[in-house]
């Protein structure tokens, strides 16, 4: 089961939602869970040391896909992290990566921001291609967004639609859950409130030991489908 979390605007909470979904899946399932980091933020979220080698280095190498297993970091007894590493990402070995991720495990990808081709600067198209590929190949393509007019406007302009939405709710927004569903054309599977407890756990790099119960409960419907 491949679950790709993405957004159309930075600061939407995609990395935190991907982390929480993977923690929830690891608690509730007997099968292993793999969290794949395309953005580089997840080691800090979980309080891990920064890695000098990871997915970026493998994508630019000729190593066999099975070599990725040696670079996994155990976060909990049932959850492992495949870090981004330091090298720029490329789609050169995207087919091999997708095949390797197709397993009995639950795979959660933090794909970060997906941008239309017109928004992509020269020299980073390979990285954008990889993000799009993992979103397209996902069994569950999950948009993480706030009820923000600009974010919804960008989503509507993209050539694809997510299979579901995680709505990050904050006070003061005029757009409702129903407004978001109508604009995006996909159901809101979970509404996660902006919570200071989540921010404190992330800032301290202790999300795996200070799992916010409210956020985990809110993600229940989405995780039941994994």
């Amino acid at each position: 089961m491949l679950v790709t979390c993405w957004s159309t605007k930075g600061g939407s909470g995609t990395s935190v939602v991907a982390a929480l979904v993977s923690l929830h899946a690891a608690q509730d399932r007997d099968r292993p869970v793999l969290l794949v980091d395309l953005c580089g933020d997840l080691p800090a979220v979980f309080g891990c040391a920064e890695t000098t080698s990871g997915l970026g280095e493998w994508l630019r190498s000729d190593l066999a896909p099975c070599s990725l297993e040696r670079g996994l970091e155990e976060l909990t007894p049932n959850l492992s992290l495949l870090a981004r590493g330091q090298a720029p990402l490329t789609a050169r070995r995207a087919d091999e990566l997708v095949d390797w991720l197709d397993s009995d495990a639950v795979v959660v990808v933090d794909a970060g921001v997906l941008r239309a081709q017109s928004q992509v600067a020269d020299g980073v198209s390979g990285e954008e291609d990889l993000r799009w590929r993992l979103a397209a190949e996902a069994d569950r393509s999950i948009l993480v967004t706030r009820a923000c007019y600009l974010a919804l406007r960008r989503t509507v302009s993209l050539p694809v639609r997510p299979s579901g939405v995680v709505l990050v709710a904050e006070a003061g927004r005029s757009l409702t859950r129903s407004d978001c569903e109508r604009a995006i054309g996909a159901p809101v599977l979970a509404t996660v409130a902006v919570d200071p407890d989540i921010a404190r756990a992330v800032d301290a790099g202790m999300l795996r030991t200070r799992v916010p119960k409210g956020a985990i409960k809110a993600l229940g419907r989405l995780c039941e489908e994994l």
Side-chain angles (χ1 to χ4, degrees):
M1 170 69 73
L2 176 60
V3 182
T4 299
C5 299
W6 54 276
S7 64
T8 58
K9 195 168 182 287
S12 298
T14 310
S15 294
V16 174
V17 168
L20 291 172
V21 168
S22 67
L23 285 167
H24 193 305
Q27 290 175 352
D28 293 348
R29 299 288 182 179
D30 292 331
R31 56 182 170 171
V33 179
L34 173 62
L35 179 58
V36 181
D37 184 9
L38 299 189
C39 300
D41 293 328
L42 289 174
V45 168
F46 286 103
C48 303
E50 294 292 335
T51 59
T52 58
S53 180
L55 179 59
E57 285 71 22
W58 178 83
L59 287 167
R60 293 175 177 275
S61 76
D62 294 319
L63 296 172
C66 61
S67 66
L68 286 167
E69 297 177 11
R70 297 195 293 270
L72 300 182
E73 177 159 1
E74 184 180 277
L75 299 175
T76 72
N78 202 39
L79 172 61
S80 299
L81 172 66
L82 175 57
R84 174 186 169 127
Q86 302 299 319
L89 300 180
T90 172
R92 183 175 74 89
R93 303 183 67 183
D95 288 343
E96 293 175 84
L97 179 62
V98 170
D99 288 344
W100 183 74
L101 294 175
D102 184 15
S103 66
D104 292 334
V106 174
V107 179
V108 181
V109 177
D110 174 16
V113 177
L114 295 189
R115 295 180 288 176
Q117 192 64 36
S118 60
Q119 299 173 298
V120 177
D122 291 341
V124 295
S125 59
E127 180 167 328
E128 297 298 330
D129 286 347
L130 182 64
R131 297 177 191 275
W132 276 103
R133 177 67 184 275
L134 290 177
E137 295 285 347
D139 300 292
R140 297 288 184 273
S141 179
I142 304 299
L143 168 67
V144 180
T145 187
R146 301 185 186 227
C148 166
Y149 172 74
L150 294 178
L152 296 183
R153 188 167 176 267
R154 291 183 185 182
T155 302
V156 171
S157 70
L158 294 179
V160 297
R161 289 291 173 269
S163 56
V165 179
V166 172
L167 184 61
V168 178
E170 54 190 341
R173 292 290 186 185
S174 59
L175 296 176
T176 66
R177 174 183 178 133
S178 296
D179 291 333
C180 295
E181 288 183 326
R182 284 195 296 270
I184 297 167
V188 172
L189 302 177
T191 300
V192 179
V194 174
D195 185 349
D197 287 343
I198 298 177
R200 283 192 287 267
V202 171
D203 291 345
M206 300 183 70
L207 191 63
R208 55 180 154 176
T209 55
R210 295 183 186 173
V211 182
K213 294 181 179 179
I216 289 292
K217 183 177 180 180
L219 290 166
R221 176 185 171 188
L222 168 60
C223 293
E224 285 172 2
E225 298 181 359
L226 303 185

